[in-house]
Amino acid sequence: MRLDKYLKVSRLIKRRTMAKEVASQGRVKINGQPAKPGTEVKPGDELEVLFGQKHMTIRIDRVEESVKKEEAATFYSILKEERIDND
């Protein structure tokens, strides 16, 4: 599955256009490598995502084309989450 679609389906990012933008800006890495919106993701991959003031490292557990809102959190496991202070 494409990275931008995964970010949307897993509800890490609400809209696919926003997911595409975040990846295009170099704010997403897959297994330590910068990722583009069309990069393929698979279970076991580690994503590092920079959301504004938050840096998250997650592991992909599931990849499916669609999911119910209640099940979206089962698509990944949060390995690390930290706030970034720009002082």
Side-chain angles (χ1 to χ4, degrees), residues 24-41:
S24 295
Q25 293 171 352
R27 293 168 35 196
V28 181
K29 290 182 180 179
I30 298 177
N31 300 322
Q33 301 295 316
K36 294 183 177 165
T39 304
E40 291 292 314
V41 297

Side-chain angles (χ1 to χ4, degrees), residues 33-78:
Q33 301 295 316
K36 294 183 177 165
T39 304
E40 291 292 314
V41 297
K42 60 190 179 310
D45 284 348
E46 276 190 22
L47 296 183
E48 293 177 46
V49 187
L50 185 61
F51 299 102
Q53 302 299 315
K54 191 166 39 168
H55 182 258
M56 287 180 68
T57 303
I58 65 163
R59 183 182 61 241
I60 297 175
D61 295 330
R62 292 173 52 195
V63 175
E64 292 178 25
E65 291 296 317
S66 63
V67 67
K68 292 183 176 130
K69 186 177 184 179
E70 302 80 39
E71 295 176 15
T74 65
F75 270 51
Y76 58 89
S77 301
I78 298 174

